[in-house]
């Protein structure tokens, strides 16, 4: 059949247009009753009734089966939803951040203190573990193991670290 080379969306649109044109015409070979499209029967040559599948597809495309919206975005695009689904809070979480310190010991120490203060103030964890390692001559990597209460805390930490001018990467 020529429909087999089309994707599902194209097939549905083609089928919708076909049925609509048949319903508007006087040709009764496709439908039993022109007034009710749900009663339409499609002869696809395989002696199968594709009406249910078609109606299901059309209703799905029209959003009939979408979950009711509560006003909150509950998708993977909302900050923290994936972390909340994957982790059980409270938990220990390892954050990594890299900052440009240009090989200057004073800049390096200032950056380390700034990162530590930021993470401790947001997480409330004074016992967090910090490991510092150079990344070439111009960068410093800080790895922190922090106790966090929620995904929102992790997102807040990353947002604050991102606001620092010297931060070039966080993961």
């Amino acid at each position: 059949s020529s429909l087999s080379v089309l994707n599902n969306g194209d097939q549905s649109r083609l089928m919708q247009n076909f049925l609509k044109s048949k319903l508007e015409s006087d040709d009764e070979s496709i439908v039993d009753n022109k007034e009710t499209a749900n009663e339409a029967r499609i002869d696809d040559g395989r002696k199968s009734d594709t009406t249910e599948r078609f109606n299901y597809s059309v209703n799905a495309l029209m959003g009939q089966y979408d979950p009711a919206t509560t006003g909150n975005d509950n998708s993977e695009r909302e900050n923290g939803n994936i972390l909340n689904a994957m982790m059980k809070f409270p938990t220990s979480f390892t954050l990594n951040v890299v900052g440009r310190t240009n090989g200057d010991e004073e800049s390096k120490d200032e950056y380390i203190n700034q990162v530590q203060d930021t993470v401790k103030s947001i997480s409330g964890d004074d016992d967090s573990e910090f490991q510092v390692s150079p990344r070439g001559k111009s960068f410093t990597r800080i790895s922190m193991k922090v106790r966090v209460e929620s995904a929102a805390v992790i997102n807040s930490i990353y947002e604050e670290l991102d606001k620092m001018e010297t931060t070039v990467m966080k993961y």
Side-chain angles (χ1 to χ4, degrees), residues 15 20 24 28 40 51 57 84 89 97 113 116 125 129 134 152 170-171:
M15 189 66 77
K20 185 177 178 183
E24 292 171 353
E28 295 186 14
T51 305
S57 297
N84 279 326
F89 292 97
V97 62
N113 289 332
Q116 287 177 338
D125 184 9
E129 300 172 22
K170 54 196 185 329
Y171 53 99

Side-chain angles (χ1 to χ4, degrees), residues 42-100:
I42 302 166
D43 182 9
D44 62 0
R46 292 179 280 172
K47 302 291 184 205
S48 65
D49 181 15
T50 57
T51 305
E52 280 186 43
R53 288 185 296 156
F54 174 74
N55 285 336
Y56 181 78
S57 297
V58 169
N59 286 329
L61 289 169
M62 293 176 17
Q64 296 295 323
Y65 304 119
D66 290 351
T69 57
T70 60
N72 296 336
D73 184 13
N74 195 19
S75 70
E76 71 280 0
R77 291 174 189 84
E78 179 70 22
N79 280 342
N81 282 351
I82 293 176
L83 279 175
N84 279 326
M86 292 175 55
M87 301 179 85
K88 184 174 181 177
F89 292 97
T91 189
S92 290
F93 188 80
T94 302
L95 301 121
N96 292 286
V97 62
V98 177
R100 182 185 308 273

